[in-house]
Amino acid sequence: MRVNDRHYRTVWHIDTDPETIWIIDQRHLPFEFVEEPLRNVVDVAEAISDMHVRGAGCIGATAGYGMYLAVAEALRKDEFDVSLHASSKLLINTRPTAVNLAWAVETQLEAISKTQDLKEKKNIALQTAKRIANEDVEACAAIGQNGLPLIKQIAKKKSGEVVNILTHCNAGWLAFVDYGSATAPIYAAHDSGIPVHVWVDETRPRNQGARLTAWELAGHGVPHTVISDNAGGFLMQTGQVDLVITGTDRTTHTGDVANKIGTYLKALAAFDNDVPFYVALPSSTFDWQIKDGLRQVPIEQRCSCEVTQISGLVGNKEQTVQIIPDGSPAANPAFDITPGRLITGLITERGICRSSEKGIRSLFPERFNAA
Ligand code: MRU
């Protein structure tokens, strides 16, 4: 997407500076736009765990490039395999919930194992990192085209009146390499002239909606309004939401969706009010192994400081303030599980399906045949 008249991805590599990976350091948005170089595996691991980059596709692609730096580092060590193994563990352990991270590391390990020539391993790792990033971009672009008819149909039913779409957290281009998942159909609709308006859940505690989704939509000229997380139910009851689209960090092949905390409550409200509730994802976000989201998806428990404090702009400087009494404990589960029965459909790069084993099988039969 464009920022200051330049096309950006969230993570990139420049061939003339071969052992550096570049990212947008998302911690500073929307107040400052900062590009950050990552020069080794520890830099990459810190960037993921401290959320300089975040969002399932983006951390997957960043980990993919991290594995390329891991191979470069391992080549300088006596024990190539020991070093590579330690780096892959370091990267996989940075964040537990989004499955794209482990998927990208495993994709790299498999690709790298195809040759015994150590120098060739480095070349393969770079090509694989680029492929992971490019496939993420292609999948998100396809999700945009596959989700577009949903918005078109609603616009037609409303005789061209504005289509109101609610989204949670940031499943925009910042959460991927480009386009985003939940936002891709919205950008496609806006670009094709359909009048859309987005209700942006602020998404406490880290406010990825208020900080990142609002910044993204504003940058693309998409009309939007930031709302408190608690407003969505009322807006649905009063007919002000035509469609909900969220992203996901991991979806079981049986259709349970792990996404940013608060998604489940939005799905319940949508179900009760007959508002279509879609989840958009590239196939790299499916977990083909596990069946039971609630019992088997590891839910990240983040620092309680994200609940006890809040950050914002004071004058022209970002500051953090405490918002609860001294000594009150706080808890911070970062993701929740929405069962497939509350979801109208999944929007994937191959099309739309029900959020059930049968529905997912209809789009990705080869995954089930292999199991
Ligand atoms: O904690 P984050 O910001 O990495 O969480 C990811 C998210 O932004 C959302 O849950 C998103 O909908 C899924 S990632 C495409």
Side-chain angles (χ1 to χ4, degrees):
M1 302 296 272
R2 297 195 80 74
V3 181
N4 302 329
D5 275 334
R6 191 184 135 186
H7 180 263
Y8 275 89
R9 286 182 168 193
T10 51
V11 51
W12 66 99
H13 170 267
I14 303 170
D15 287 339
T16 50
D17 183 10
E19 289 189 20
T20 303
I21 304 306
W22 288 87
I23 57 164
I24 298 170
D25 184 348
Q26 301 185 24
R27 293 171 305 167
H28 305 284
L29 290 172
F31 308 124
E32 255 187 288
F33 186 80
V34 177
E35 297 172 30
E36 183 187 8
L38 308 177
R39 304 201 192 277
N40 53 55
V41 181
V42 170
D43 282 357
V44 174
E46 276 174 14
I48 297 172
S49 56
D50 297 345
M51 292 176 71
H52 308 202
V53 284
R54 29 67 51 203
C58 181
I59 60 179
T62 306
Y65 280 113
M67 284 298 289
Y68 156 66
L69 294 183
V71 173
E73 270 173 57
L75 283 171
R76 293 191 284 271
K77 302 267 170 66
D78 291 338
E79 303 248 23
F80 181 91
D81 287 337
V82 174
S83 171
L84 189 65
H85 181 72
S87 295
S88 57
K89 279 270 160 302
L90 178 71
L91 289 171
I92 283 182
N93 289 334
T94 48
R95 293 195 72 194
T97 304
V99 76
N100 303 57
L101 178 60
W103 168 82
V105 171
E106 278 150 20
T107 300
Q108 278 283 27
L109 287 174
E110 198 188 323
I112 295 161
S113 71
K114 295 227 159 90
T115 176
Q116 293 312 312
D117 178 334
L118 294 185
K119 289 221 173 80
E120 184 54 14
K121 282 182 189 283
K122 186 177 170 192
N123 184 33
I124 288 178
L126 180 58
Q127 295 320 314
T128 305
K130 289 183 177 179
R131 177 169 61 79
I132 289 170
N134 289 338
E135 284 178 4
D136 183 270
V137 174
E138 284 160 24
C140 286
I143 287 168
Q145 290 313 308
N146 292 337
L148 176 59
L150 292 174
I151 302 177
K152 264 193 187 148
Q153 272 163 25
I154 297 170
K156 201 169 158 207
K157 254 202 214 146
K158 292 186 81 176
S159 310
E161 250 182 68
V162 175
V163 179
N164 289 299
I165 303 163
L166 185 142
T167 191
H168 191 67
C169 196
N170 174 265
W173 71 270
L174 290 168
F176 287 86
V177 179
D178 208 344
Y179 300 110
S181 57
T183 53
I186 298 172
Y187 290 131
H190 174 80
D191 291 349
S192 70
I194 298 172
V196 290
H197 163 261
V198 184
W199 296 112
V200 178
D201 281 357
E202 63 177 344
T203 320
R204 274 284 286 156
R206 288 186 67 100
N207 284 341
Q208 292 98 325
R211 295 182 67 118
L212 303 177
T213 306
W215 179 80
E216 268 197 52
L217 294 172
H220 202 72
V222 179
H224 63 280
T225 306
V226 178
I227 51 174
S228 73
D229 288 328
N230 296 325
F234 170 73
L235 294 174
M236 292 184 211
Q237 282 177 316
T238 50
Q240 299 181 72
V241 180
D242 297 304
L243 171 69
V244 180
I245 313 180
T246 75
T248 166
D249 296 84
R250 184 188 297 233
T251 291
T252 66
H253 65 278
T254 51
D256 292 342
V257 163
N259 195 46
K260 183 55 57 186
I261 195 80
T263 303
Y264 171 55
L265 291 176
K266 291 297 135 66
L268 284 173
F271 194 75
D272 195 43
N273 290 285
D274 279 332
V275 173
F277 185 102
Y278 283 87
V279 174
L281 72 161
S283 52
S284 52
T285 304
F286 281 114
D287 187 324
W288 304 105
Q289 311 301 325
I290 64 173
K291 276 180 177 287
D292 183 338
L294 205 51
R295 285 185 185 75
Q296 293 179 287
V297 173
I299 299 294
E300 182 176 12
Q301 304 292 325
R302 294 190 57 83
C303 178
S304 61
C305 57
E306 293 178 348
V307 176
T308 62
Q309 301 174 340
I310 198 160
S311 300
L313 211 54
V314 180
N316 59 3
K317 204 166 174 273
E318 189 168 351
Q319 287 188 19
T320 300
V321 293
Q322 179 179 324
I323 56 167
I324 73 167
D326 280 339
S328 283
N332 189 10
F335 298 92
D336 62 21
I337 305 293
T338 301
R341 69 187 159 77
L342 298 178
I343 297 165
T344 314
L346 301 175
I347 311 171
T348 77
E349 73 267 31
R350 292 203 187 162
I352 297 180
C353 67
R354 298 299 301 269
S355 198
S356 64
E357 182 161 347
K358 192 171 167 210
I360 297 166
R361 186 192 289 266
S362 71
L363 288 185
F364 299 94
E366 76 282 8
R367 297 293 184 159
F368 293 82
N369 296 340

